[in-house]
Amino acid sequence: MNNFFKTTLTLAKIGDGYRYIWYRNFLQFRRTFFVSLFWVILEPLMYLGAIGFGVGSYINNIKGQSYIDFFFPGLLCSTAMMVPFFEGTYTNFTKLTFQKIYQHILLTRITPQEIVFGEMLWATSKGYFGVLGLSLIALFLGLIQDWHFILILIVLLITCWLFSCLAMLITSVAKNYDSFIYATSGFIIPMSLISGLYFPIEQQPLLLQIIAYILPLSHSIDLCRAILRHDFMDYRLYLHISYLLFMSYALYNLSSYKITKKLIR
Amino acid sequence: MSLDTAIETKHIIKKYNDFVAVNGVDLKVIKGECFGLLGPNGAGKSSLMKMMYCHSVITEGELFVLGLNAKKNFREIKSKIGVVPQDNLLDSDFNAIDNLRLFAKYQQIDDYTAAETIRSLLKLLKLEDFANSEIETLSGGTQRRLAIARALINSPEIIFLDEPTTGLDPQSRLWLWNFMKQVKEMNGTIFLTTHYIEEAEELCDRVAIMDRGKILCVDQPRILIKQHIGDEIIEFFSNPVDLNYYLNRLKEFNYEYQVYNNMVLVFLKSGQDSKKIFDIIKSEKVTVRKPSLNDVFLKLAGYNLRDE
Ligand SMILES: Nc1ncnc2c1ncn2[C@@H]1O[C@H](COP(=O)(O)OP(=O)(O)OP(=O)(O)O)[C@@H](O)[C@H]1O
Ligand SMILES: [Mg+2]
């Protein structure tokens, strides 16, 4: 247990090799730009249309807001979760096992820690690409009117990072692709349902509320909404930030340690 | 350690969980030589080599490559060596030339130098026509040449080749042999594993034979043949009834021999007379031939199949 805390809390030394990992993924992304564009930005956009505007039109107000104003920050958070999560699980698992890309890169002077860091940075970038694309569209739709939105973009960046680390951790323990089906249907989707994305968390039984706050997504969503409400005096806002920062840090270290152990045997 | 040592291992051990794949190997490879590692399937050749190119953790012992400690200075080592792994390890998401470009980036070679080097390597390895082909569309031989080009991108001081000619057609193999001879002439150090004993005999200055994680012998092929076999081999078949009689007579005259099914191989040391053998084995069909490294290999590693 002691060892567990040690690996979770000590930061690995990183050289600048991670840049080339990022660059490799960027090159590949550029080649498949339109496919990526489709699912990274258009998918959340469909949710925005169907749930935000569609379902939302039946709801007059929710906690004093229009439904679309309530839903939109949540949708940004879920995009910041989904895109890095899929990049970090399916794509990276394929690179790790079938394509043996990491083994190939390890023939060079790049270290496993640099590979992990570069991969997470990439998954974060891709998630952020989705977040920014969605935000840009929302700006044209008139959903963003407040300069505090810039603060939200910082929260979303942390969220992207956090979930890319979590995805990498799952990749490090996955046996096959089925593991990701369990992780998606058994963890990610239920989390998005109970974390206040579609309706306020308080509406649920206490047990579900507690579970929601143990998991990270609710903290991102609450934080974004609190910022847009200008609730800066609310102590909970700072708890959310602390939670997200700590989890980002710990999950990064843990997954870096796990993948490194898998790569160099 | 002297300056002309390229690789030195000091009793290194590699364990996968409880299984010992490399069991205390001491080796010294000299700069500029072509060193061949022979051994049956599962002998531990790849495992030993992987530790040398810092691709796997050393369980026990010390390993120095170009005077650098493999446990600590693996980054420096990796920037000074080139590796062609058994399974090529190419990046299937990119085409041939992008594989080389990316690899140069990973090795942190500046773009200008990389472009120059890649152009000359494509030419040297006859890859110009395949530069823009995706990896899956390349034949085994072409993939291997690409892996070799990749290994040479940083002008390495040592090049590691794990079974470089396995799965290649005779033309590609011949081409590769010539290529390795060129590398040798340029004073490059080559460390290779192979199952083709003629290949080791043809290319390598020294060979080591490995089995069950241990090195059985190391030397120049010529000397190994002389030491373990002798000058000539006399081969004959015998029916099972007479076999024992023959073997007893051979023993009586101090001949060294090996039996495989109904075939008897007599190893004739220098100074030993072959006439006596012909006296002993009168009726059988007998052949006399020059021994090869293959005979050393079969003598030391045995005839049995290795099922893992
Ligand atoms: N990653 C691994 N985990 C567990 N066992 C392994 C691993 N890699 C190799 N081994 C075992 O170690 C032994 C030596 O393997 P190695 O690949 O070094 O043999 P080799 O001499 O290269 O054989 P071949 O000629 O078939 O390539 C084999 O029995 C193999 O099953
Ligand atoms: Mg092997």
Side-chain angles (χ1 to χ4, degrees), chain A residues 179-196:
Chain A
S179 310
F180 302 127
I181 297 177
Y182 293 128
T184 310
S185 318
F187 178 65
I188 293 291
I189 301 291
M191 174 161 64
S192 73
L193 293 176
I194 64 168
S195 293

Side-chain angles (χ1 to χ4, degrees), chain B residues 16 19 21 39-48 86 163 195 308:
Chain B
Y16 298 107
F19 179 77
N41 287 132
K45 303 180 297 294
S46 298
S47 301
L48 175 60
Q86 198 165 355
E163 294 188 25
H195 286 293
E308 300 190 274

Side-chain angles (χ1 to χ4, degrees), chain B residues 67-87:
Chain B
L68 298 159
N69 188 336
K71 283 183 190 164
K72 292 187 201 125
N73 307 319
F74 49 89
R75 282 179 77 107
E76 276 164 279
I77 293 175
K78 283 179 180 177
S79 62
K80 290 180 175 185
I81 62 172
V83 184
V84 183
Q86 198 165 355
D87 48 358

Side-chain angles (χ1 to χ4, degrees), chain B residues 51-91:
Chain B
M51 289 190 280
M52 291 178 174
Y53 60 77
C54 310
H55 216 240
S56 108
V57 176
I58 300 165
T59 312
E60 255 177 67
E62 296 290 323
L63 174 61
F64 296 91
V65 179
L66 298 166
L68 298 159
N69 188 336
K71 283 183 190 164
K72 292 187 201 125
N73 307 319
F74 49 89
R75 282 179 77 107
E76 276 164 279
I77 293 175
K78 283 179 180 177
S79 62
K80 290 180 175 185
I81 62 172
V83 184
V84 183
Q86 198 165 355
D87 48 358
N88 293 332
L89 290 177
L90 297 163
D91 190 336

Side-chain angles (χ1 to χ4, degrees), chain A residues 16-17 20-21 23-24 27-28 31 99-101 103-111 114 264-265, chain B residues 14 53 55-57 75 78-79 83 85 87 89 91-94 102-103 105-108 134 150:
Chain A
D16 54 7
Y20 308 109
I21 309 298
Y23 177 72
R24 177 202 175 277
L27 283 185
Q28 199 194 355
R31 285 198 323 185
Q99 293 182 298
K100 295 197 174 151
I101 298 216
Q103 291 300 330
H104 154 235
I105 294 171
L106 282 174
L107 295 174
T108 70
R109 47 188 296 158
I110 291 178
T111 64
E114 289 170 347
I264 298 258
R265 274 194 282 202
Chain B
K14 176 72 199 179
Y53 60 77
H55 216 240
S56 108
V57 176
R75 282 179 77 107
K78 283 179 180 177
S79 62
V83 184
D87 48 358
L89 290 177
D91 190 336
S92 52
D93 284 337
F94 292 92
L102 275 170
F103 203 80
K105 280 232 181 282
Y106 300 147
Q107 287 289 37
Q108 302 181 14
E134 295 298 321
R150 189 188 61 188

